Amino acid sequence: MADHARGAATSHRVELMLQELESLPTLSPVAVRLLELTADDEAESRDVIDLVASDPALASKVLAMCRCHERGRADNVTTVDRAVLLLGFEAVRCAVLSVQVFDLIDGLPGAKRTGESVFDRELFMLHSLACAVMSEEIVKAGTGARAIRPSEAFMAGLLHDIGQLVLHVILPESFDQVCRFAETHGASLDHACRQIIGLDTHTAGKRLAEHWGLPAPLVDVIWLNGQPTAALPRVPHRTLISVVTLADAIVRRRYVNAGAHWTGGESLSALCVPVGITMDAVDNATASLHDRVSQRATALGLAEEHDPIILLRSICRANESLARANAGMRQRERVAQQQATMLKELTRFHDTLPVGLTNLEALARIAGSIASLLDAPVVATLYQGRADNWHLVRLTTQGRVVGSVTLEPPADAIGFDVLAREVTVTADVDTLMPWLSDYLPTGTDLAPMHMLPLPAGAHATAIFLLLGTPDGDLLRGNRDGLVRCWQAALAAAAQHDRTAHLTEELAVANRTLMETQEALAHSRTLSSIGEVAAGAAHEMNNPLTVICGRSQLLAQRIQDPEQRKMAEEVSTQSHRLSDMITALRSFAEPVEPVLIEADIPELVFRVVQRYGPPDGRQPQLNTILTESLPAARLDPDLVGAALGELIRNAVESKGCEHIELRVQTDRLDDRLRLEVRDDGEGLTEHALQHAFDPFFSARPAGRQPGLGLSRARRFVEAHGGQLTLVNGPAGGAVATIWLREWRVSEPRERDAA
Amino acid sequence: MGKNNGTTSWAAKQVFTTGEAAEVCNVSQQTIIRCFDSGRLQGFRVPGSRFRRIPRAELLRFMKSNEIPTDALESQTKRVLVVDDDEQIVELFEDLLGSDERFEIKTAATGYDAGLLTEQFKPHLILLDFMLPDINGNLVCERIKANPDLQDTKVLIISGVVSQDEMSKLTQSGADGFMKKPFDIEKLVMNMEELLQLA
């Protein structure tokens, strides 16, 4: 789009210039008339001859020209008539036209501009004249250009670069710029013209020639000269164009180069071919070039200075050009040297970069690279870590990390991202982050420090603090490659850091998973016990049924009371065995508590009645209800059974004399706490670990099979509660049921109850 | 087949002559013949003769619809079908109940046998084990309860299973009672008496 806009602006400007060309004055009536006349119509040329003769100034110039033109043959040409007679109408016509054209341009406003201009008019005129003479000589000497009249070749050579003159006249400043550009960059004038003005000299010249109604061969020469022969379009005057191109090349290389342009192009010998001239002939023609040119210049009134002086000026010009070219080359060499330094550093940095750098290592390496490239030590690096904290990493001059601290920037500090994004490469630390001195060693002066931000994506941005003013060129100019490399290293380190962090998180997750799996395995163990029990239940219950039934039948039939009691005992024990199978079986099933509103004191009373020791016997059980508890929402059967198991456990514990049952709500989180504390021996480590395993018993024998605590825990956990068993501080064991969300939440239910 | 203690043994009889039917119903033979001929009592004639015969079920229907007490037809002993695949348990039941004159016992070891015997034996009560080798007890129970001819048959399931899931299946199957293995034999007999209205 920008190209489009620029293109449009350029073409608009070109159009304006062309209009200005159109508005230039046209040729005088004499010239116009001359152009109208064909060479072979001598009779009608009478008017023109009279016209020229009637203008003494014009007549004298024309005569002078004619004399120079045909020196030796026409020395005695004194009148226009005679000139026409001796030289032919065509020669006279050319002379008139030449004089007219240059007079006209001389008469243009701005043509005689004062002040320094890169474009040297006189040199240009000299060049044009030399070209004209050379063209004429070529036509005379060449075999391929016989059809062309020498005077026509002269004319063409004289006017071939008129475009330059025109642009110089109408756009003096721009054209100066063009000349300078072409010289500094070693570009062709036309290329420079197109770049800066948007219109080249040949096109401008062509337009002017058309405006003036110059003959078609001249227009073509002005338009197409300088182009390689092979590139010329199929115009009728190709040979003439080639002649002028050759003449121009010869003059540029051997005589005078005007317009400050050098078009390398084809070699002279190559240019000779289409014209049909040998290099020897060219050399011959060149030999007398100086004299002829000065004669012609005099005839045209151009040679105000002597030829050697003009040559001297030409040499001076060439020297100036050379100096400018040298300066350009020096500049380029400097850039190339910088690039080489950059490239060397890039290679070194890249080659020594190991995989898997940590953030700090990467920062240190980049700092080293920056320091060696810019010749300014990096004292510290600001770094934005994973958690958006700022870190300050201090470095030694050798690029070693001294230490890293987390920064706490003041509230009004400029945001890190803003700094990293918008700060210029050599911004002052002093003005942007004065608070930073708090984190640097006492006495550190921020004033000589400068910042070099290196943004490398989210959570991978660093700002390097340099001591001293770095070479601005190195930073501003061609640092892209190296900076990208630094950025890549920083980003990679950040990525590595993130990966490491993720790995840590993964490890934590794995640990949690392992613990969960252990818990699951435990509950699976219980479940599989249940599964086994379920399968066994059927198998075991049938023999039990037989034992039980038979023993009962037996008991009915036995008369002896003692024997009958034995039979009855068989039956009782088989029932117990069956109950155990049932209990075991229940591990395979989820416990689904039926939550109802229950009175806690009543529940506790019932449990103590059922599981507690009979009154007056050891151990003693004290029940403490510390407060008046509201009704609770729970399954009284399950909670009762669980509490009963705890009491039974305490009663059976060795050395127990007193049991305390305490029911209260926890002050911290309002959990309901049912605590059974005994003064027995407490539990061993092993017992604590396995207390909730089915069938575990701390005592080797003489204890009821222990499904108790295991079941109790299931019942409590079914309520979303917890059952804990620990050794009390004063000895003995403390078993506690904790229930959450036990309160009857909705008042309406309480009312209904 | 258990021995019948009484003078008549109508209980096991499946087809009745008009004379027998008259005795059961305590009416004259002529009344029975009239009812047979008018179609109010349906039956068949012995092929190749004119002898009338009345199937037991039709006789029962006739007696009930005419409000004739069926006591004579029904024996006082209760037919009990014991279904269990465990031989020892079957023997235990036979020992326990066989000596009780109130019960007439038959046994089956599979669901299939149970079905066949139910049709044939018309038990008053089935003691049904839940875990049978072919089909589960609850299905047997469902079939029996779905049969209108067997609506008077009671089912007492005796099982070692305890899970809530299986319990709910059993109650859904329409069983009249449930006892857990191993059982108290006195409680079992009490349960049976209750179901058979013997107490």
Side-chain angles (χ1 to χ4, degrees), chain A residues 12 195 320 381 590 683 704:
Chain A
H12 179 66
Q195 287 286 310
E320 280 169 29
T381 297
L683 295 146
Q704 279 215 328

Side-chain angles (χ1 to χ4, degrees), chain A residues 286-624:
Chain A
T286 319
S288 58
L289 193 59
H290 281 253
D291 291 342
R292 288 166 178 275
V293 170
S294 58
Q295 282 171 15
R296 290 297 179 100
T298 314
L300 277 173
L302 288 173
E304 288 158 9
E305 290 172 85
H306 289 294
D307 203 24
I309 296 174
I310 290 180
L311 275 177
L312 200 62
R313 270 174 55 198
S314 177
I315 290 166
C316 286
R317 287 244 156 206
N319 273 341
E320 280 169 29
S321 302
L322 204 59
R324 277 194 289 271
N326 271 341
M329 275 175 73
R330 270 201 301 279
Q331 170 69 20
R332 274 184 225 174
E333 194 193 342
R334 236 187 80 171
V335 170
Q337 263 176 359
Q338 283 178 357
Q339 279 171 343
T341 314
M342 197 75 64
L343 196 64
K344 207 170 133 198
E345 179 56 32
L346 178 66
T347 314
R348 193 196 63 78
F349 181 74
H350 196 267
D351 285 352
T352 58
L353 200 63
V355 180
L357 280 180
T358 64
N359 279 340
L360 285 189
E361 284 166 354
L363 288 172
R365 272 169 191 272
I366 295 168
S369 185
I370 290 173
S372 83
L373 184 77
L374 302 184
D375 202 19
V378 175
V379 283
T381 297
L382 288 169
Y383 180 73
Q384 191 176 29
R386 216 173 29 239
D388 285 351
N389 290 330
W390 293 28
H391 302 283
L392 180 77
V393 182
R394 284 200 294 121
L395 301 157
T396 64
T397 40
Q398 283 79 37
R400 289 219 181 74
V401 175
V402 177
S404 167
V405 286
T406 306
L407 300 180
E408 284 169 26
D412 57 345
I414 304 168
F416 192 85
D417 50 337
V418 177
L419 282 176
R421 197 175 53 239
E422 290 175 7
V423 159
T424 53
V425 284
T426 54
D428 283 335
V429 179
D430 210 7
T431 46
L432 288 169
M433 285 186 285
W435 49 270
L436 206 59
S437 57
D438 295 350
Y439 295 94
L440 293 168
T442 330
T444 308
D445 188 9
L446 289 181
M449 287 192 195
H450 288 86
M451 290 198 272
L452 173 63
L454 190 70
H459 305 300
T461 290
I463 298 176
F464 294 89
L465 303 181
L466 309 173
L467 205 56
T469 314
D471 183 347
D473 280 355
L474 272 175
L475 286 172
R476 259 179 236 109
N478 313 298
R479 63 188 186 120
D480 272 10
L482 191 52
V483 167
R484 293 226 176 92
C485 200
W486 292 339
Q487 284 170 334
L490 194 57
Q495 193 66 46
H496 184 75
D497 184 53
R498 269 200 293 279
T499 311
H501 183 71
L502 284 179
T503 313
E504 281 165 21
E505 281 179 353
L506 190 65
V508 172
N510 274 344
R511 260 200 303 283
T512 316
L513 187 65
M514 211 171 70
E515 284 161 12
T516 315
Q517 270 175 341
E518 272 170 19
L520 188 66
H522 182 71
S523 81
R524 281 232 182 101
T525 308
L526 295 186
S527 285
S528 55
I529 288 172
E531 290 297 325
V532 172
H538 180 68
E539 303 296 331
M540 287 164 85
N541 270 328
N542 276 357
L544 274 178
T545 306
V546 176
I547 293 167
C548 181
R550 287 292 176 194
S551 60
Q552 286 176 73
L553 279 179
L554 199 61
Q556 280 176 357
R557 287 168 196 172
I558 291 172
Q559 299 302 317
D560 181 45
E562 274 202 15
Q563 283 184 357
R564 183 163 54 209
K565 210 176 170 191
M566 284 162 70
E568 280 170 358
E569 189 59 22
V570 172
S571 163
T572 311
Q573 291 305 318
S574 64
H575 272 294
R576 261 190 66 193
L577 204 49
S578 173
D579 284 347
M580 259 177 52
I581 291 168
T582 306
L584 204 53
R585 175 74 175 74
S586 69
F587 280 107
E589 287 177 17
V591 181
E592 281 164 14
V594 183
L595 299 179
I596 57 167
E597 211 167 298
D599 185 51
I600 296 176
E602 189 197 313
L603 170 70
V604 170
F605 177 74
R606 206 150 39 78
V607 171
V608 170
Q609 283 292 100
R610 185 165 167 197
Y611 295 94
D615 282 343
R617 283 182 44 189
Q618 289 282 23
Q620 279 192 329
L621 176 69
N622 289 335
T623 305
I624 303 162

Side-chain angles (χ1 to χ4, degrees), chain A residues 17 31 99 122 142 241 284 334 356 508 552 647 693:
Chain A
M17 280 185 302
V99 171
E122 282 169 21
I241 295 167
N284 283 338
R334 236 187 80 171
V508 172
Q552 286 176 73
I647 292 172
D693 290 354

Side-chain angles (χ1 to χ4, degrees), chain A residues 537-538 541-546 548-550 552-553 556-557 571 574-575 578-579 581-582 585 589, chain B residues 84-86 88-89 91-92 95-96 129 131 160-164 166 180-186:
Chain A
H538 180 68
N541 270 328
N542 276 357
L544 274 178
T545 306
V546 176
C548 181
R550 287 292 176 194
Q552 286 176 73
L553 279 179
Q556 280 176 357
R557 287 168 196 172
S571 163
S574 64
H575 272 294
S578 173
D579 284 347
I581 291 168
T582 306
R585 175 74 175 74
E589 287 177 17
Chain B
D84 201 306
D85 61 325
D86 191 314
Q88 296 296 319
I89 290 182
E91 272 179 30
L92 175 66
D95 263 16
L96 174 64
D129 180 29
M131 299 281 263
V161 299
V162 285
S163 85
Q164 295 292 332
E166 285 158 339
K180 193 183 146 316
K181 282 181 187 175
F183 45 83
D184 190 297
I185 53 173
E186 283 174 15

Side-chain angles (χ1 to χ4, degrees), chain A residues 77-159:
Chain A
V77 174
T78 48
T79 64
V80 180
D81 264 356
R82 183 145 179 82
V84 171
L85 191 70
L86 274 176
L87 307 172
F89 178 72
E90 180 58 26
V92 176
R93 187 179 77 118
C94 283
V96 172
L97 213 51
S98 305
V99 171
Q100 285 282 306
V101 165
F102 284 101
D103 280 356
L104 185 68
I105 287 171
D106 270 350
L108 289 178
K112 298 261 182 194
R113 213 160 44 95
T114 52
E116 270 306 303
S117 170
V118 178
F119 183 77
D120 188 325
R121 259 175 80 87
E122 282 169 21
L123 215 54
F124 169 80
M125 288 307 240
L126 194 63
H127 171 80
S128 294
L129 202 56
C131 272
V133 172
M134 201 64 220
S135 298
E136 197 181 46
E137 292 299 320
I138 288 165
V139 169
K140 283 179 190 166
T143 52
R146 291 258 161 77
I148 301 166
R149 276 181 299 275
S151 56
E152 192 179 8
F154 179 86
M155 185 78 186
L158 192 63
L159 298 178

